Amino acid sequence: MPLLSVQISQLFGKYNSAPVKSIDKLPQAGSDRHYFRIHTDEKNYIAAYGPNIKENETFIYFSQQFQKKELSTANVLYINEDKSIYIQEDFGSVCLLDKLEERGFCDEVYTLYKKSLAQLAELQVKGHELVNYEKCLTNSEFGKQAIMADLLYFKYYFFDALAKPYDKQKLIDDFEALSNYLSHTEHKYFMFRDFQSRNIMVSEDDSVHFIDYQGGMNGAPQYDVASLLWQARANLTVEWKEGLLEDYMNSFEKLVGGNLNREVFRSQYHGYVLIRLLQVLGAYGFRGLFERKAQFLTSIPLALNNIKWFLEHHSVGISVPTFMQVLDMCVSNEIIEHFTPIQATEETPLLVTINSFSYKKGIPVDDSENGGGFIFDMRGILNPGRFDEYKKLSGLDKPVKNFLEQRTKMAVFLNSAFDMVDISVSNYIERGFGALMVNFGCTGGQHRSVYAAEALARHLKNKFKVKIILTHVNRDNWVK
């Protein structure tokens, strides 16, 4: 069992006598935190490991404070001595985005969004009464400095990467003006900071619960509403955005008492919509363009189209001409097309054949007319097959996947492989080619190559919608 799983099991056993049946590593998102699901006979728990102790301390503090008023946040149960690992209640594996993607824009999902916003308002107002903002992870307040940081994040990690000419000083001046305008907001409460549908878990009884609020601070409530309603991946309809904003304002008004100036609230809301959209675009740029994580690159055109629609229908409230020129460049057809991958249709002839194989048995032969393709040697990745507990498993099994994700440079290797294969797939779709073969080889064709072949197949299906044939050539000879 990997070291982290052992430490988690020991921490759990120190406080809870329930026997641990298994510990599964959950898929890692954009941060350096690692999450695990602990299975016992009666219930499951979530364990989190984070190397950033200050971040862990902030999450634990917020959670403990919010539990005093039973808000819709996690109950942290056990914490290890150095606060690098903590165990919290498990809200399940279904998030609000999953519900939307599964059921579409139906009344049931709208109700879940409405419920989430009502409980957000409660967290913002009641949480504000509970929190000491000196314990925040970064800024204690989402004021001018924090707004400037978001704008510069967009500038450095997305716009500057486009290498387009612009007046740097005038852009900074516009950033200053917009930051001043938005920092003088009428309302300031607890701000979640990353309130999006992946951080809202939906239980079997349709109750909603919030996770990943360690970035919270004092700030404008409109920012969190903008984060949820304008999430690029969710792509909510205009009717839903407008209706849910009204629902939120109704809930917020009841909690703060008195009449809410909705015209002013909406005006500042639109400013925060733009700030949030740009902060997310900066994050996609950082993760995709600089860290070269392929899944974030595919989100860039969604974010750009979101910004384009917003600019066509709303104003930020003040004159910022250079900033508007920069945004117009970002949402030009040229830039959006640059980041939008070509996708296969039913008429596209390309068929990508992906194989895992054993070098002991030989490299698969390409019988297509032109041959060629890629052969990736996985033997530079630490082999799980060297360890007794993995010998009879394969790259299809969770323990092996966890090993490769936690203890090897598999992710770095695959990002480079994806970059190369993507060039050919895109070009072959455009040129009407019919075949491409990609082979991943390792010693036995059972662990590393299998994992890599499965990962590439998922990537190409998601990004290019291309037809795939996936074969594990040495499957009949796997150690069993």
Side-chain angles (χ1 to χ4, degrees), residues 80-310:
N80 73 344
E81 189 172 344
D82 67 2
K83 297 183 180 178
S84 63
I85 300 172
Y86 54 89
I87 296 173
Q88 64 191 62
E89 61 184 315
D90 183 9
F91 296 133
S93 57
V94 178
C95 69
L96 182 56
L97 182 63
D98 294 329
K99 289 286 189 180
L100 176 65
E101 292 182 338
E102 176 192 352
R103 304 188 183 181
F105 296 105
C106 64
D107 290 344
E108 177 191 353
V109 176
Y110 185 97
T111 299
L112 290 173
Y113 268 89
K114 181 177 179 180
K115 185 185 299 184
S116 299
L117 287 167
Q119 291 180 202
L120 167 67
E122 192 172 3
L123 174 65
Q124 291 171 327
V125 176
K126 294 182 179 179
H128 175 70
E129 301 167 0
L130 298 166
V131 165
N132 175 1
Y133 289 107
E134 291 181 2
K135 293 183 178 291
C136 291
L137 179 60
T138 53
N139 304 74
S140 61
E141 179 183 12
F142 193 71
K144 178 181 176 180
Q145 185 180 15
I147 295 170
M148 277 293 291
D150 276 3
L151 292 169
L152 292 172
Y153 192 54
F154 151 75
K155 174 187 176 298
Y156 293 139
Y157 291 117
F158 183 77
F159 185 68
D160 284 348
L162 302 181
K164 295 287 185 181
Y166 67 98
D167 189 318
K168 293 180 173 59
Q169 187 55 54
K170 286 185 178 179
L171 180 63
I172 297 300
D173 290 344
D174 280 356
F175 282 177
E176 289 271 356
L178 184 59
S179 299
N180 280 326
Y181 169 71
L182 289 177
S183 61
H184 293 91
T185 183
E186 185 178 351
H187 302 282
K188 287 192 177 181
Y189 291 91
F190 178 79
M191 195 177 86
F192 192 113
R193 188 71 166 101
D194 192 22
F195 192 70
Q196 42 101 349
S197 60
R198 288 190 187 88
N199 289 337
I200 302 171
M201 308 308 295
V202 182
S203 299
E204 291 183 0
D205 62 356
D206 280 347
S207 59
V208 296
H209 312 271
F210 306 148
I211 60 173
D212 278 2
Y213 39 81
Q214 60 275 354
M217 59 184 70
N218 184 224
Q222 295 100 318
Y223 185 95
D224 288 335
V225 185
S227 300
L228 180 65
L229 300 188
W230 285 81
Q231 184 183 1
R233 179 73 181 272
N235 195 25
L236 299 185
T237 66
V238 176
E239 292 75 20
W240 275 40
K241 287 174 184 173
E242 292 178 352
L244 288 167
L245 177 59
E246 285 292 329
D247 292 332
Y248 169 81
M249 288 191 290
N250 291 336
S251 298
F252 181 78
E253 190 173 39
K254 289 177 183 177
L255 286 162
V256 299
N259 294 323
L260 182 67
N261 187 330
R262 300 200 175 202
E263 184 177 348
V264 172
F265 193 92
R266 274 197 194 88
S267 176
Q268 292 176 335
Y269 164 76
H270 289 144
Y272 281 110
V273 167
L274 183 58
I275 296 295
R276 175 61 180 179
L277 293 178
L278 295 177
Q279 189 272 336
V280 168
L281 184 57
Y284 291 160
F286 176 67
R287 299 295 185 186
L289 300 174
F290 289 85
E291 292 190 335
R292 296 173 57 244
K293 294 182 177 180
Q295 68 269 31
F296 290 96
L297 287 174
T298 60
S299 295
I300 288 176
L302 296 174
L304 290 174
N305 280 308
N306 233 352
I307 294 170
K308 184 176 184 177
W309 191 95
F310 174 85

Side-chain angles (χ1 to χ4, degrees), residues 367-429:
D367 294 324
S368 66
E369 181 180 351
N370 295 312
F374 296 89
I375 300 172
F376 293 103
D377 187 344
M378 309 301 299
R379 290 175 294 183
I381 303 293
L382 180 62
N383 184 8
R386 292 182 183 179
F387 302 88
D388 289 340
E389 61 263 43
Y390 305 119
K391 279 184 178 177
K392 295 183 179 180
L393 302 177
S394 76
L396 301 174
D397 295 306
K398 271 191 174 182
V400 173
K401 292 178 183 178
N402 292 346
F403 178 97
L404 292 170
E405 291 166 2
Q406 294 176 42
R407 300 178 61 182
T408 77
K409 293 186 176 181
M410 178 65 81
V412 177
F413 186 103
L414 286 180
N415 276 330
S416 298
F418 290 175
D419 284 347
M420 288 186 281
V421 174
D422 284 0
I423 293 172
S424 291
V425 172
S426 178
N427 183 267
Y428 284 17
I429 291 174

Side-chain angles (χ1 to χ4, degrees), residues 391-395 442 444-450 477-479:
K391 279 184 178 177
K392 295 183 179 180
L393 302 177
S394 76
C442 61
Q446 182 168 341
H447 299 94
R448 295 163 291 181
S449 61
V450 170
N477 298 312
W478 286 358
V479 177

